[in-house]
């Protein structure tokens, strides 16, 4: 896959998340956190590849362009050599639910997660990360909560899991930083 317009923004945002340890690699070698940006006004979006959490800087080869998806079949098609993040359909569910959303951040923040659990829009505890159910759960939250205006949600079934979004990555990042500063003791 070739380079894309928002790659520099994506790397800048990732660096800040890495510095804050909101994205990275656990001691067991498992990476966490992923970012995506919508491709213009289309349904397609660019998302960081699986197992890229430890990389300080991503190249186009570390990302994929998700071009089509089907929630019911838990299926997607993509362009690129990387393996799309296992949470790609969660990102897709946000783009489907909010046409003004053009960037999504999924990070891990244990303190913020504990503070916001059931106070901010929260996905069901019964729904695990990276499942088809999670995309339906996200779409349900858009119908039943104020997630569209708050631009943040908590994944009860995925410890530490936070998702923010906005009209660009800077926006989504600011939502996250604001929530952290408001919840700081
Ligand atoms: Zn996660």
């Amino acid at each position: 896959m070739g380079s894309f317009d928002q790659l520099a923004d994506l790397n800048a945002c990732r660096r800040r998340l890495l510095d804050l340890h909101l994205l990275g690699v656990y001691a067991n070698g498992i990476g966490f956190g992923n970012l995506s940006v919508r491709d213009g006004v289309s349904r397609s979006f660019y998302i960081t590849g699986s197992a890229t959490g430890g990389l300080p800087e991503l190249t186009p080869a570390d990302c994929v362009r998700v071009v089509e998806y089907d929630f019911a079949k838990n299926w997607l098609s993509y362009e690129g050599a990387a393996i799309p993040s296992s949470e790609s359909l969660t990102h897709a569910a946000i783009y489907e639910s909010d046409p003004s959303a053009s960037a999504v951040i999924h990070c891990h923040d244990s303190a913020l997660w504990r503070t916001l659990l059931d106070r901010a829009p929260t996905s069901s505890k019964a729904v695990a990360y990276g499942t088809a159910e999670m995309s339906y759960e996200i779409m349900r939250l858009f119908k039943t909560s104020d997630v569209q205006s708050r631009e943040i949600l908590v994944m009860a079934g995925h410890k530490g899991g936070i998702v923010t979004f906005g009209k660009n990555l800077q926006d989504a990042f600011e939502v996250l930083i604001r929530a952290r500063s408001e919840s700081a003791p």
Side-chain angles (χ1 to χ4, degrees):
M1 192 184 73
S3 194
F4 51 99
D5 288 349
Q6 307 95 325
L7 182 60
D9 289 346
L10 190 144
N11 271 317
C13 187
R14 274 187 89 256
R15 267 194 301 277
R16 296 165 83 181
L17 292 167
L18 280 164
D19 287 347
L20 293 166
H21 308 288
L22 301 176
L23 180 146
V25 186
Y26 290 121
N28 61 8
I30 305 286
F32 62 94
N34 40 68
L35 287 76
S36 70
V37 287
R38 197 195 287 270
D39 184 12
V41 292
S42 71
R43 294 177 81 220
S44 307
F45 58 93
Y46 296 97
I47 188 163
T48 53
S50 186
T52 55
L55 302 175
E57 186 91 11
L58 301 187
T59 70
D62 300 313
C63 303
V64 302
R65 179 170 177 258
V66 174
V67 289
E68 199 49 68
Y69 44 85
D70 185 321
F71 297 115
K73 292 179 180 149
N74 197 21
W75 169 91
L76 59 80
S77 73
Y78 64 95
E79 297 165 356
I83 295 166
S85 159
S86 53
E87 204 63 357
S88 294
L89 285 178
T90 296
H91 291 240
I94 290 170
Y95 294 128
E96 284 286 311
S97 302
D98 183 355
S100 71
S102 286
V104 176
I105 294 173
H106 166 58
C107 67
H108 288 192
D109 185 331
S110 308
L112 184 61
W113 186 86
R114 278 192 300 271
T115 305
L116 292 185
L117 196 65
D118 296 322
R119 294 196 185 95
T122 302
S123 64
S124 163
K125 200 176 198 160
V127 176
Y129 174 84
T131 60
E133 289 71 30
M134 184 60 91
S135 32
Y136 286 107
E137 181 64 2
I138 300 291
M139 291 187 274
R140 186 189 67 81
L141 283 179
F142 272 87
K143 294 191 185 90
T144 60
S145 78
D146 56 355
V147 67
Q148 185 153 0
S149 58
R150 293 180 73 171
E151 299 181 317
I152 187 166
L153 67 95
V154 181
M155 294 171 149
H158 181 50
K159 204 159 188 283
I162 302 279
V163 175
T164 67
F165 54 94
K167 63 180 192 294
N168 53 45
L169 280 170
Q170 179 69 27
D171 256 27
F173 184 78
E174 278 167 15
V175 169
L176 177 63
I177 296 306
R178 206 178 318 129
R180 281 165 59 86
S181 66
E182 285 167 5
S183 76

